[in-house]
Amino acid sequence: MRDVLISPSILSADFARLGEEIAAIEAAGADMIHVDVMDGHFVPNLTIGPPVVKALRRHSNKPFDVHLMIAPADPFIADFAEAGADILTVHPEAGPHLHRTLQSIRAAGMRSGVALNPATPASLVAPVIEDIDLVLVMSVNPGFGGQSFIDSQLRKIAELRAMIDASGREIILEVDGGLNRQTAPRAVEAGATAIVAGSAVFKGGAPAYADNIAALRPGVKV
Ligand code: DX5
Ligand code: ZN
């Protein structure tokens, strides 16, 4: 079984204590910090932007895995790079020039990712497979934490696994939405190498974080 990265989504953290929450999930075994950026337009919710990412940067040494649910995304690429994002992931529907957007992300010094909504096909990734370091499969419709995993996305994960293997490139295959100790092993079995989880990590408060994170790793008995 492949090593799996766990990327807790701070959307489910205590927003009044975000710095402490990030330090706590790092201490509890998080491999990356997933930051959900929403604009109230591309998705029906509003969250945080570059100034908050910048303020959080000194609270963790782990890569910041920043998921942009905003349209357009291009005007904010430089701001997120400057704020300390390590991976910047965009939805193809956010703008008309995905290839150019991915090039801009890399030119700004970050790793580039593409996020696929539940109805967006895996095939969309093929023409840009050389230009990405991460594919994010949304297993819920983006906008909110705490939704249920959409089973049909397992097929898409398997399809992307085959595409990535055929490419011979090191691309993280990340899954986001409704992941918990029941659904995460299914996503990993289908080929995922990174698991995003909000509610499943933050439930129970800081004393529970280490167990919550460990339970998402493959091979851990639930
Ligand atoms: C949804 C976000 C997810 C969300 C996951 O738009 O992209 O990262 O926070 O939350 P859970 O794990 O609670 O489904
Ligand atoms: Zn996300």
Side-chain angles (χ1 to χ4, degrees):
M1 190 72 87
R2 297 178 175 83
D3 279 348
V4 170
L5 303 170
I6 308 294
S7 191
S9 163
I10 61 169
L11 192 58
S12 297
D14 179 351
F15 269 32
R17 300 169 40 254
L18 271 184
E20 288 164 52
E21 291 274 70
I22 285 176
I25 51 173
E26 176 166 352
D31 299 298
M32 305 195 284
I33 310 295
H34 188 82
V35 181
D36 285 308
V37 177
M38 306 185 186
D39 65 356
H41 161 74
F42 184 73
V43 290
N45 196 3
L46 269 176
T47 57
I48 59 174
V52 177
V53 172
K54 187 172 189 175
L56 292 176
R57 188 57 278 187
R58 67 185 174 85
H59 292 270
S60 170
N61 293 315
K62 294 293 177 186
F64 275 16
D65 163 32
V66 178
H67 176 193
L68 297 187
M69 287 159 276
I70 65 175
D74 291 4
F76 298 98
I77 292 171
D79 291 346
F80 280 104
E82 202 265 324
D86 298 281
I87 304 173
L88 199 65
T89 297
V90 296
H91 284 254
E93 296 85 358
H97 301 293
L98 179 61
H99 183 268
R100 181 186 292 156
T101 300
L102 296 169
Q103 283 186 312
S104 305
I105 291 171
R106 284 188 170 170
M110 297 176 285
R111 284 184 275 167
S112 58
V114 171
L116 303 177
N117 278 337
T120 305
S123 58
L124 199 140
V125 165
V128 292
I129 196 126
E130 303 292 332
D131 307 290
I132 56 173
D133 304 292
L134 179 145
V135 184
L136 177 56
V137 175
M138 288 305 304
S139 41
V140 298
N141 282 293
F144 303 94
Q147 304 180 76
S148 298
F149 185 83
I150 301 172
D151 274 357
S152 59
Q153 300 308 301
L154 290 167
R155 282 197 302 277
K156 193 192 291 177
I157 296 166
E159 213 180 319
L160 287 162
R161 175 79 267 145
M163 284 169 62
I164 292 168
D165 288 349
S167 78
R169 299 200 58 247
E170 288 281 327
I171 296 174
I172 298 170
L173 178 46
E174 184 173 60
V175 184
D176 183 4
L179 289 158
N180 53 39
R181 54 187 74 199
Q182 282 79 38
T183 52
R186 298 172 68 209
V188 171
E189 197 172 333
T193 54
I195 296 291
V196 176
S199 34
V201 167
F202 287 95
K203 67 172 189 233
Y209 294 167
D211 282 348
N212 291 348
I213 290 172
L216 297 170
R217 294 193 191 278
V220 173
K221 284 222 164 23
V222 294

